[in-house]
Amino acid sequence: MNQALDIFRSSGYCFSRNPVFLNSSRNSPAFLLHKQNFPQEHLAAPLFEKYRRLVCSKRVNSKPFIPTESNSLCVELQERKIQCENAVSTIKYLHEAGAKVILISSWDADDENTMKIVRAESIAGALSSVLQVKVVPVKLVTTHIHSAKQESNIILLENLFQFKEEPANCKGFARLLSSGVDIFVNDAFSQSHRVLASTVAISRFCYASIAGFHFEAVLSQLKNITKTSQKPYVAIIGGGNLVEKAAALRLLVSICDGLVFVGNIAFQIMHALGLPLPMKLVEHGATEEALTLINSMKSRSRAVIVPKDFLCLNNLNPEKLEIFSADCLVDGWQPVDLGPESLEEIASLVSKCKKILWIGPVRFGLSHSDAGEASRLGAVVDRLRSQNNLETILVGKVACTTVLGSNLNYSVIENASVVWEFLKGRSLPGLMALDRSYPFDIKWDGVYDDPTRPLVVDVGSGNGLFLFGMAKKTKDLNFLGLEINGKLVNRCLERVLQTGMKNGYFIRTNATSTFRSIISSYPGELVLVSIQCPNPDFNKPEHRWEMVQRSLIEAIADLLALDGKVFLQSDIEGVAIRMKSEFVKYGKGKIMVMDESEDASCYQRQWLNENPFGVRSDWEQHVLDRGANMYRLLLSKPAIIAGSTCRG
């Protein structure tokens, strides 16, 4: 049972009452599963409508947001060695709130015997014992899942490791995983650097995608790495592949007061410094990057420490160990640990610090043993932390297992790969898939000179050509662009500032998941929403419609003022048809296609001949310039449905 639990702690779960997934942006804060944001009473089935209002900031809703018999929450936690209490507390919190729970897991096994121990049935039994609640294992078949939900409030899906669709980020597979799911909650921080169906694609099919308790804690630790309030701040850097980590190392040079290089990466710095080394220890192409780092450290007056001596093992007699100076390494002897002079120098530097970061293993040469190699340095770090009350951040399995022990006075991030990606400045796909800065808190009186004016929203505003033209043409309306591309948003905001515009603004966001949260707080009426040429993938035009999801349509239907309009257009007729049908399907009977008979001259085979506003978007202008067609239509939210001139 313990072995099964250990492996499952690396895995993922889902919470369901109808499922919502819990899984795990670097540049923007994720919406977190704070207890103040998600009080348990808001998750209970009878009060799920209240919960939905909280998540989506709905203005008016007389019916449950999701018309299902039960409401679900799924939690994905693909952590190899996550502390059990982290996982269990999250599951218990949601389960006690009244949500059904679907556990989604992915685990590997080295041999057939281990695989038998870690079958879903074994893990379900172990979890049942810990949670004191029956956990039912099921196959990844929709009918089995729905049947199991009647049997237990917590179910465990089979191992996702065996499905090739999982690492392929397959949308069809993600749709299957999210069947009946309302909210996706990610606690799998260690998987956030990977693109998986259960962490990335799945967010397309859920109403909200948020971060869980464990994710919040680790994200806070990750951000702490770049904080420099505690000085002096020293980084102990192990592992290898200097070229691959060069961008991250440059960042550490800029924020740390000293860098201590251990492990194979130390050899690259030593070689660049001119120390004689066996060439088998030097990585191909690393010298130039190492010299760049050394020059950067010198220009910033950073302390640089590389090993002065090594404990070496005789290749012919593995029981024979000797100390060698770093500039006198002998063929036939393999460095396996730091020597006493090296440890003394590191201890002297660390003893003067207020904060240290240890990332990467103390592994030398061809050695594959980590735990023993790191133990002596780990003992030094642990002793100095206790004596000097050092703020200590441990990154990577080796640092965590050899230094941490039973001491909990450390910040711990077990997956070093995630941290390296973060330090390189790269976005974390699993984190970017979550709703960011959600719910939004916008001070509208600081955005517009009169925030009570009617509002026009352009979803996917691009370069802002349409909104700038509309704002210049119509001064008695406010205009808001929602765009996922941060560079385009920054460019538009610079233009707003330069022109002194008082009725236009732009927000970087994924409108599919945040439209309701943003617009529900606006004090005026929403009178027009435009979605023009949705184009998340220029290479696959058939995917362009995917931006228009059910959650966005339902939010528009709820928040649009009576007699308000929705303007849709695309340069691909199939996309326009799909958008139209989605609005009719998910518009809750509130959104109708305006009858062509109102002005037949404006339509040609169900499409508007001209842009009704006389202002073109950037992509529309591009399409027309090349002589292609645009497919446009207007939808309306009429005050009276019956007997109106609208149709669906």
Side-chain angles (χ1 to χ4, degrees):
M1 177 178 292
N2 289 337
Q3 185 173 358
L5 271 179
D6 287 340
I7 293 181
F8 183 75
R9 289 167 195 161
S10 68
S11 313
Y13 342 133
C14 303
F15 293 91
S16 161
R17 188 154 204 176
N18 263 338
V20 183
F21 286 85
L22 175 73
N23 217 2
S24 170
S25 169
R26 167 187 147 88
N27 299 321
S28 304
F31 184 39
L32 304 174
L33 188 66
H34 286 305
K35 293 185 179 180
Q36 59 266 34
N37 288 338
F38 285 86
Q40 289 183 326
E41 61 269 21
H42 288 179
L43 289 167
L47 296 177
F48 191 70
E49 177 188 346
K50 183 178 180 182
Y51 163 66
R52 290 303 312 169
R53 279 204 194 100
L54 178 66
V55 173
C56 298
S57 300
K58 291 171 37 172
R59 181 180 293 170
V60 177
N61 185 15
S62 60
K63 297 181 180 180
F65 188 76
I66 301 177
T68 54
E69 294 181 359
S70 59
N71 304 308
S72 315
L73 183 63
C74 253
V75 179
E76 166 90 42
L77 289 167
Q78 293 179 316
E79 299 287 300
R80 266 287 166 198
K81 293 184 178 179
I82 182 176
Q83 293 184 19
C84 188
E85 53 268 27
N86 290 334
V88 170
S89 62
T90 308
I91 298 175
K92 282 185 174 180
Y93 181 79
L94 295 166
H95 172 64
E96 290 171 0
K100 288 196 183 236
V101 180
I102 298 179
L103 308 178
I104 299 184
S105 303
S106 178
W107 61 87
D108 190 11
D110 298 328
D111 53 60
E112 186 175 346
N113 292 331
T114 305
M115 182 58 75
K116 290 179 180 179
I117 296 175
V118 297
R119 291 185 308 170
E121 291 80 2
S122 300
I123 294 177
L127 284 169
S128 297
S129 176
V130 172
L131 295 168
Q132 295 298 298
V133 177
K134 183 179 181 181
V135 178
V136 178
V138 297
K139 294 290 185 181
L140 187 54
V141 179
T142 304
T143 53
H144 290 183
I145 295 173
H146 291 319
S147 175
K149 283 197 296 181
Q150 304 304 316
E151 181 181 350
S152 175
N153 287 336
I154 302 180
I155 63 176
L156 169 66
L157 297 188
E158 58 188 312
N159 185 5
L160 298 188
F161 180 79
Q162 60 189 308
F163 295 96
K164 62 182 180 181
E165 295 88 349
E166 164 72 344
N169 194 33
C170 175
K171 295 175 184 175
F173 187 65
R175 186 181 287 108
L176 175 61
L177 288 175
S178 63
S179 176
V181 172
D182 300 321
I183 300 173
F184 173 67
V185 188
N186 188 349
D187 237 356
F189 185 86
S190 70
Q191 297 297 313
S192 58
H193 64 302
R194 303 181 63 195
V195 181
L196 304 172
S198 66
T199 61
V200 177
I202 196 170
S203 64
R204 288 175 171 263
F205 307 104
C206 301
Y207 281 86
S209 300
I210 63 180
F213 296 139
H214 176 67
F215 188 94
E216 175 188 3
V218 183
L219 180 60
S220 177
Q221 294 166 4
L222 184 68
K223 292 178 180 178
N224 188 37
I225 291 176
T226 59
K227 292 181 180 179
T228 58
S229 55
Q230 296 284 353
K231 291 281 191 175
Y233 179 15
V234 167
I236 300 173
I237 303 166
N241 299 319
L242 183 145
V243 174
E244 182 181 323
K245 298 171 180 174
L249 293 173
R250 287 194 290 270
L251 176 63
L252 290 176
V253 169
S254 69
I255 63 177
C256 294
D257 301 293
L259 281 78
V260 177
F261 293 95
V262 297
N264 284 338
I265 202 166
F267 294 135
Q268 318 318 314
I269 303 297
M270 294 164 64
H271 179 68
L273 288 171
L275 295 174
L277 288 174
M279 289 306 297
K280 66 180 180 180
L281 300 177
V282 180
E283 298 172 3
H284 177 71
T287 303
E288 184 177 349
E289 287 289 356
L291 284 171
T292 300
L293 284 172
I294 291 169
N295 291 333
S296 178
M297 288 184 283
K298 287 181 178 179
S299 67
R300 295 173 182 267
S301 300
R302 305 303 196 210
V304 183
I305 290 183
V306 294
K308 295 291 189 295
D309 56 351
F310 296 95
L311 178 66
C312 297
L313 175 148
N314 188 286
N315 292 336
L316 299 178
N317 183 4
E319 295 183 359
K320 189 175 182 179
L321 296 170
E322 288 189 18
I323 302 295
F324 286 87
S325 173
D327 57 358
C328 295
L329 294 178
V330 179
D331 286 340
W333 292 83
Q334 172 65 48
V336 294
D337 202 351
L338 297 169
E341 188 177 347
S342 299
L343 289 170
E344 183 178 350
E345 185 178 22
I346 294 173
S348 176
L349 177 64
V350 172
S351 66
K352 304 171 186 176
C353 295
K354 296 294 184 181
K355 179 178 179 179
I356 62 171
L357 164 71
W358 181 358
I359 177 171
V362 187
R363 179 189 299 136
F364 296 101
L366 302 178
S367 172
H368 297 289
S369 173
D370 291 327
E373 297 165 3
S375 59
R376 302 211 305 166
L377 179 59
V380 170
V381 170
D382 188 56
R383 172 173 55 82
L384 292 174
R385 186 211 58 79
S386 301
Q387 292 176 356
N388 303 339
N389 195 28
L390 286 175
E391 180 182 352
T392 307
I393 305 171
L394 304 177
V395 178
K397 294 179 180 178
V398 176
C400 294
T401 56
T402 62
V403 179
L404 185 61
S406 60
N407 196 321
L408 300 179
N409 295 318
Y410 294 92
S411 294
V412 176
I413 305 176
E414 291 193 6
N415 193 323
S417 297
V418 179
V419 178
W420 285 119
E421 291 298 294
F422 172 80
L423 294 175
K424 291 174 188 175
R426 296 176 181 173
S427 297
L428 303 177
L431 183 53
M432 291 298 294
L434 302 181
D435 303 341
R436 293 179 294 284
S437 296
Y438 177 74
F440 278 79
D441 182 17
I442 301 173
K443 300 186 184 303
W444 296 105
D445 56 354
V447 173
Y448 303 113
D449 57 353
D450 182 2
T452 65
R453 286 191 295 244
L455 181 67
V456 174
V457 177
D458 188 27
V459 178
S461 52
N463 286 319
L465 185 63
F466 174 73
L467 279 193
F468 282 116
M470 290 285 286
K472 184 177 180 181
K473 180 179 179 181
T474 311
K475 300 294 186 180
D476 58 348
L477 298 176
N478 286 334
F479 297 87
L480 178 65
L482 304 180
E483 170 60 49
I484 200 169
N485 188 316
K487 291 182 179 179
L488 295 180
V489 170
N490 290 337
R491 193 180 305 161
C492 290
L493 290 175
E494 288 176 3
R495 183 175 173 184
V496 168
L497 186 62
Q498 292 170 359
T499 59
M501 182 183 294
K502 300 299 183 181
N503 65 333
Y505 194 69
F506 296 83
I507 296 175
R508 179 192 179 187
T509 186
N510 179 358
T512 300
S513 56
T514 61
F515 185 94
R516 186 182 298 274
S517 176
I518 295 172
I519 306 306
S520 64
S521 66
Y522 183 73
E525 287 190 325
L526 175 65
V527 296
L528 173 64
V529 177
S530 61
I531 303 176
Q532 307 182 56
C533 307
N535 193 20
D537 191 341
F538 283 89
N539 297 319
K540 298 180 180 179
E542 68 276 12
H543 290 171
R544 296 184 185 183
W545 61 268
E546 292 185 354
M547 185 178 76
V548 184
Q549 297 290 327
R550 175 179 174 179
S551 58
L552 174 61
I553 296 170
E554 291 190 343
I556 293 173
D558 287 338
L559 299 176
L560 191 65
L562 296 178
D563 293 324
K565 303 293 188 294
V566 178
F567 176 52
L568 305 176
Q569 72 168 341
S570 175
D571 57 318
I572 298 176
E573 187 172 19
V575 173
I577 292 173
R578 178 63 181 253
M579 288 195 294
K580 172 185 174 181
S581 64
E582 294 289 286
F583 266 90
V584 171
K585 181 178 180 181
Y586 297 120
K588 301 181 176 182
K590 301 176 182 179
I591 303 294
M592 303 292 175
V593 179
M594 294 181 64
D595 197 322
E596 293 91 333
S597 63
E598 292 184 5
D599 189 356
S601 63
C602 293
Y603 284 85
Q604 179 182 19
R605 295 187 309 116
Q606 80 175 328
W607 306 118
L608 287 168
N609 294 327
E610 300 291 340
N611 184 321
F613 307 105
V615 179
R616 294 172 178 172
S617 69
D618 44 353
W619 185 253
E620 179 183 8
Q621 186 65 56
H622 171 74
V623 171
L624 296 178
D625 286 346
R626 70 174 191 235
N629 293 325
M630 292 298 299
Y631 303 92
R632 315 178 181 92
L633 72 155
L634 270 175
L635 299 91
S636 174
K637 183 178 180 179
I640 302 176
I641 302 296
S644 71
T645 58
C646 300
R647 62 177 178 80

